[in-house]
Amino acid sequence: MHKVIVIFGTRPEAIKLAPIILKLKTISNELSTIVCVTAQHREMLDQVLNIFEIEPDYDLNIMKDNQSLFDITVEGLRKLERVLKKEKPNIILVQGDTTTTFLASLAGYYLKIKIGHVEAGLRTKDKFNPFPEEMNRRLTDCLADLYFAPTKRAKENLLKEGVDENKIFITGNTVIDALLMVVEKQKNKEIQKMLEQKFCSNYRISFDNRKIILVTGHRRESFGKELENICLGLKKIAKNNYDIQIIYPVHLNPNVQKPVRKILSNIDNIHLIEPLDYFSFVWLMNKSYLILTDSGGIQEEAPSLGKPILVMRNKTERPEGIEAGTAKLVGTDSEKIYSETMRLLENKTLYEKMAKAINPYGDGKASDRITNILRNYLAHN
Ligand code: UD1
Ligand code: UDP
């Protein structure tokens, strides 16, 4: 029987690979699926594994506090060598653009194992923006054999780089599959009530008639001044609008925790909370009026929930949302973040226009398509 090994390490990879893993497990009579986590993230990865009830076959447990890119790459590569030599899979499945994605592809290449890249072809064409993700995905695409491009644009990027068209499949993004799975479960009124109570008891957040602005921010290229500017913009929004609440689940990276807590603690209408499990986070996105973020995945999810999104980055590899009108790139300048947020709070027509745009990233069936393509590919290669 052919064997697929799915390798990942961080929260977003886990969310986006979970629907594929669950699908692959339903055809275990045809294809053997091994799950290996580098655990480049620990708590934030485990949150996702729990929600989707996925138990890894291998857990390389590499995360260290405030780890460097060298730490992740060296530790991960060494440990993966042993797993891959033991398992001898027919194909490795990786996702996205993290350092785990790249190092797993490199390990596969060294051992001449085929590589399938989920979410292939995203580009900003600026090698330091986002850093190191832009190079992680380009390098992964150099090494891959099978490309699951989420959009037409992603496929075009790959074609321009000379990738063989027969190896590229437009599938949509699996994050929409994950999102819809969770949204479906949350239609239940009891579950909604339970989630609301959880926010109230765990974080002392009450959902009254104040609008919620949901915030996330964690990008390496923004560490230092730019992240401080983002925080100053948020502070001004909160101070000038007592009829809103800002909720910011703060990423565990110490380079994020320190400035965020320094600038934004002790402001009445700002709640700094721990990273949320995916189930709670999706519910909170749904409850929000507006989302301010630098996250890749959230840019893809927000349009499905009808939430306008301000992207606090200078460049994005996800231009489709901006072209569709659901997202706006606002950079990291505090005044710009403030003024663009005010526009959406004050101008209902503008808000409605952004909230009604269609999601360009997928229809919730990406993991079906990927599973079928993989099955077919392995039968013929
Ligand atoms: C990583 C990815 C980034 C992705 C992001 C998603 C790289 C280089 N970066 O960035 O592409 O967008 O994940 O969130 O691949 N930490 C914990 N517990 C956790 C997770 C992180 O304590 O569960 C802390 C640790 O101190 C760790 C640090 O955060 O050393 C940084 O983690 P790392 O994976 O290197 O970088 P991220 O900023 O999380
Ligand atoms: N997310 C989550 N809990 C949080 C914040 C985000 O589950 O507290 C989810 C979010 O819905 C999205 C993914 O995590 O699916 C995005 O991860 P992140 O922002 O860490 O990484 P990126 O997408 O920028 O690589």
Side-chain angles (χ1 to χ4, degrees), residues 6-21 36-41 44-45 48-49 52 54 62 72 93-105 117-119 133 136 140 173-175 178 297 300 318:
V6 188
I7 304 176
F8 54 102
T10 67
R11 169 172 71 190
E13 296 161 79
I15 292 170
K16 290 171 169 181
L17 286 168
I20 304 179
I21 294 169
C36 172
V37 296
T38 60
Q40 174 183 331
H41 282 176
M44 288 161 58
L45 172 73
V48 186
L49 296 174
F52 289 99
I54 293 170
I62 66 170
I72 311 168
L93 215 55
V94 293
Q95 196 285 334
D97 54 19
T98 72
T99 295
T100 288
T101 314
F102 165 57
L103 73 89
S105 309
H117 187 197
V118 178
E119 200 184 84
E133 291 81 7
N136 282 343
T140 301
N173 198 306
T174 54
V175 81
E300 294 154 345
R318 292 167 169 92

Side-chain angles (χ1 to χ4, degrees), residues 25 70 72 85 88 92-93 118 121 158 200 218 240 250 282 294 308 318 359:
K25 297 273 185 192
F70 292 91
I72 311 168
K85 281 185 172 162
K88 300 187 175 52
I92 298 172
L93 215 55
V118 178
L158 293 166
C200 201
H218 70 83
N240 288 317
V250 190
V282 168
D294 63 11
R318 292 167 169 92
N359 193 329

Side-chain angles (χ1 to χ4, degrees), residues 1 61 87 95 127 159 249 300 320 328 364:
M1 198 183 331
N61 201 23
E87 289 293 341
Q95 196 285 334
K127 76 177 186 181
L159 289 174
E300 294 154 345
E320 296 89 346
K328 182 160 186 190

Side-chain angles (χ1 to χ4, degrees), residues 212-214 285-286 288-293 298-299 301-311 321 325-328 340-341 343-345 347-357:
I212 291 164
I213 299 183
L214 175 60
M285 280 199 282
N286 245 326
S288 305
Y289 178 77
L290 169 66
I291 303 175
L292 269 57
T293 189
I298 298 172
Q299 289 179 62
E301 293 165 331
S304 280
L305 303 173
K307 304 297 171 185
I309 180 159
L310 296 180
V311 183
T326 71
K328 182 160 186 190
E340 292 292 343
T341 303
R343 259 157 58 83
L344 283 170
L345 287 171
N347 185 338
K348 198 135 186 68
T349 317
L350 180 71
Y351 179 88
E352 293 297 336
K353 206 168 150 213
M354 283 183 86
K356 287 214 175 82

Side-chain angles (χ1 to χ4, degrees), residues 228-257:
E228 283 173 24
N229 285 339
I230 289 176
C231 293
L232 292 172
L234 297 173
K235 188 171 179 175
K236 187 164 175 187
I237 297 166
K239 293 272 183 200
N240 288 317
N241 297 279
Y242 285 107
D243 57 342
I244 60 124
Q245 308 193 70
I246 294 181
I247 307 181
Y248 186 167
V250 190
H251 192 290
L252 293 178
N253 193 324
N255 301 293
V256 179
Q257 287 277 339

Side-chain angles (χ1 to χ4, degrees), residues 121 151-158 160 170 319-320 323:
T151 63
K152 192 164 157 272
R153 171 82 56 108
K155 176 173 175 175
E156 283 162 7
N157 287 337
L158 293 166
K160 275 187 218 145
I170 299 178
E320 296 89 346
E323 285 157 12

Side-chain angles (χ1 to χ4, degrees), residues 355-368:
K356 287 214 175 82
I358 290 166
N359 193 329
Y361 296 109
D363 59 0
K365 298 193 174 69
S367 50
D368 282 337

